Amino acid sequence: MFTRVLFTEVMKLRRSRITWISLLAYSVGPAAGGLFMWIALEPRRAADLGLLGTKADLAGLTATWPGYFGLLTQTTGIAGMLLVSVITAYVFGREYADKTARVMLVQPVPRYWFVIAKLVVVLGWMAAGTGLMIAEAALVGVALGLPGLTPSIAANGVADLLLAAGIAFLLASPVAWLSALGRGYLLPLGFAIVMLVIGNILGATAWGRWFPWSIVPLFAGVAGPRAETLAAGSMAVVVCTAAAGMAATIAQLTWADQRQ
Amino acid sequence: MSLSSAIATRSLGKCYGRVQAVHDLDLEVRRGEIYALLGRNGAGKTTTIRMLLGLVRPSTGEVEILGRRIGPLETEGFRRMGSLVETATAYPNLTVRENLELHRRLTGTPSGVVVKWIDRLRLDPFAHRRADQLSLGNLQRLALARALLHDPEVLVLDEPANALDPAGIVEIRELLRELSAQHGVTVFLSSHSLGEVSRLADRVGIVHEGRLLEELDPSLRADEQRYVEVRVSDPDRASTVLQKSGMRQVTRQDGRLRVYDSAGREAEIARVIVQAGIDLTSLTPIEDDLEDYFLKRTGGLS
């Protein structure tokens, strides 16, 4: 039954513009990162670029493969997390915005399958976006001739990216719940933006490692010095948040009155 | 619930905060019957339909469809039910065919039915058109096709004739009649169209302020509410002579007589009264239709 539900959830994305827009958004990260790398590689030309050159210099970028991967991990930690929230709000919130929730919820299918299938769709979507990002980054890095590529650096760089993307995905389930609770897009997107801001602020404090939305920025080095490894406690906080968000979404679809 | 019941509710009620939307609703709809719920805006029709479909949790009571409880955790019953709640909706980015295909897969219905229902509801010219490019009438047809696609035994339809043109309304009425008469499908519908309800339904439940006021058979009501009203100088004697001449159902109301079961006998009524030497002041054939009756039962036009 689950494969049937999953198939229909994928089917719902046909001709959906946001699929392509989001993939385009994923491809912006490596391109922008590549531009910064190029500026760092070519400081004379960077000087001609004025402000952009100054910013790239202030960020303390080094034009190497580890530097490029670090930049991409930061992008995934901030923009990627917001993008996953947008995708999740779309996948769940559209059922309310399009008034199709009342069609979906009278199917001979346990309602939790819809929640799980939608989260799998978000995961697949995010994996495709991250895959695209990695492939594009490889091309850009090679084209720029960035130094310092070894198999272990490549493996560590990709692993960091995947971990940041994975945490961003785990934090999508509260967004899913708020889409069902708010019956649309506004509440989940507002929540995602507020959490991103709070997460970056708290990341600079000692509490950051216990606040789910600070953990990716901390790990990516956006909110202060980069944490090389994630504490088990931090991962537990993320996993618990994911589980609570998923349980709340299932409860919302199962027990709340669907008056839309 | 008896074996012949398709839909049964017991003490069904719903409270939204302090507002009691539905009170102690006891309904029993027989298999193969077309039952219409009639009520003003806010009478509780849509809340009742949502409770039947498990979209809203009852505050009191329970619902059984085809002998099984229905609710968010009892979704298997939806395999035998088709529904349309409020306005017709569909996935806007999918075509008519894709919307039906999606529903077919979820209900586990064999392939081939999509083409059948596209054809049956005259959606062929729009089969490859996106749902957001359909007219309201065709969107309604798509929603009806989706409700019927998996050959349900029970149909729960909120305003099924919404947005349809007059020919479409007749077409859907005939379709629902056929499903009920030939395939034993039970149809539970709500409608604002009193004319439509009186033409289609076997039984009508009038709801007002969340309560079921009365259940009636529209065809019987039509006979009951057709009568001739006469004003005469001596109502008692006129009543007696009319009954002696074979008009058994004569009642007296505020000095006037109502002669029931008298369609086409106006001339005979006048002759009997005049021949008895009673002065006849007026004679008016009256047809008190379902609309008049509904308005009387639910407090007039106020």
Side-chain angles (χ1 to χ4, degrees), chain A residues 65 68 136-146 149:
Chain A
W65 276 101
Y68 191 30
E136 189 185 337
L139 286 175
V140 169
V142 169
L144 288 173
L146 292 177
L149 185 64

Side-chain angles (χ1 to χ4, degrees), chain A residues 217-254:
Chain A
L218 263 181
F219 175 67
V222 181
R226 188 180 170 197
E228 287 301 329
T229 54
L230 278 180
S234 296
M235 276 313 290
V237 164
V238 171
V239 170
C240 288
T241 307
M246 193 164 149
T249 314
I250 290 172
Q252 184 70 28
L253 287 192
T254 306

Side-chain angles (χ1 to χ4, degrees), chain A residues 1 4-17 90 94-95 98-112 114 118 253-260, chain B residues 14-16 50 53-58 71-73 75-79 81 83 85-95 97-99 101-103 105-108 130 146:
Chain A
M1 183 180 285
R4 224 161 56 198
V5 179
L6 184 61
F7 183 89
T8 59
E9 286 303 322
V10 173
M11 203 175 158
K12 287 176 189 175
L13 300 178
R14 276 188 198 173
R15 284 180 225 93
S16 166
R17 283 196 198 107
Y90 172 74
R94 69 167 300 184
E95 302 285 359
D98 295 337
K99 299 187 190 308
T100 46
R102 60 187 182 224
V103 176
M104 180 180 79
L105 297 176
V106 295
Q107 298 293 340
V109 171
R111 293 179 183 177
Y112 55 82
F114 286 108
K118 281 179 184 296
L253 287 192
T254 306
W255 298 114
D257 287 344
Q258 305 294 331
R259 294 172 69 187
Q260 168 258 24
Chain B
K14 181 65 188 177
C15 249
Y16 293 117
R50 284 178 183 272
L53 294 171
L55 290 171
V56 162
R57 292 178 71 198
L73 295 180
T75 53
E76 195 49 37
F78 291 122
R79 204 175 292 283
M81 287 174 75
S83 63
V85 185
E86 287 192 272
T87 49
T89 58
Y91 291 96
N93 51 314
L94 301 186
T95 64
R97 198 190 177 105
E98 287 165 349
N99 266 288
E101 182 62 24
L102 190 142
H103 183 72
R105 285 179 181 270
L106 284 173
T107 51
R130 285 169 57 125
R146 187 176 52 218

Side-chain angles (χ1 to χ4, degrees), chain A residues 68-240:
Chain A
Y68 191 30
F69 277 125
L71 199 60
L72 290 178
T73 307
Q74 286 184 10
T75 310
T76 307
I78 304 291
M81 194 147 74
L82 198 58
L83 201 51
V84 174
S85 298
V86 170
I87 293 168
T88 308
Y90 172 74
V91 169
F92 284 85
R94 69 167 300 184
E95 302 285 359
Y96 298 91
D98 295 337
K99 299 187 190 308
T100 46
R102 60 187 182 224
V103 176
M104 180 180 79
L105 297 176
V106 295
Q107 298 293 340
V109 171
R111 293 179 183 177
Y112 55 82
W113 281 135
F114 286 108
V115 176
I116 295 168
K118 281 179 184 296
L119 287 173
V120 170
V121 165
V122 173
L123 179 65
W125 192 333
M126 191 208 66
T130 310
L132 176 74
M133 210 168 117
I134 292 169
E136 189 185 337
L139 286 175
V140 169
V142 169
L144 288 173
L146 292 177
L149 185 64
T150 64
S152 72
I153 282 174
N156 285 340
V158 170
D160 284 354
L161 255 176
L162 292 180
L163 184 61
I167 294 172
F169 168 72
L170 286 172
L171 295 177
S173 67
V175 175
W177 169 57
L178 291 168
S179 305
L181 184 72
R183 297 173 192 158
Y185 307 121
L186 206 59
L187 184 62
L189 291 180
F191 171 82
I193 292 166
V194 169
M195 285 303 113
L196 199 67
V197 173
I198 296 176
N200 275 279
I201 294 168
L202 281 183
T205 71
W207 298 340
R209 58 189 294 201
W210 304 111
F211 185 66
W213 284 270
S214 293
I215 290 165
V216 170
L218 263 181
F219 175 67
V222 181
R226 188 180 170 197
E228 287 301 329
T229 54
L230 278 180
S234 296
M235 276 313 290
V237 164
V238 171
V239 170
C240 288

Side-chain angles (χ1 to χ4, degrees), chain B residues 137-154:
Chain B
N138 283 327
L139 190 60
Q140 185 77 4
R141 284 171 184 270
L142 169 58
L144 283 165
R146 187 176 52 218
L148 295 162
L149 188 80
H150 53 291
D151 287 334
E153 293 165 57
V154 174

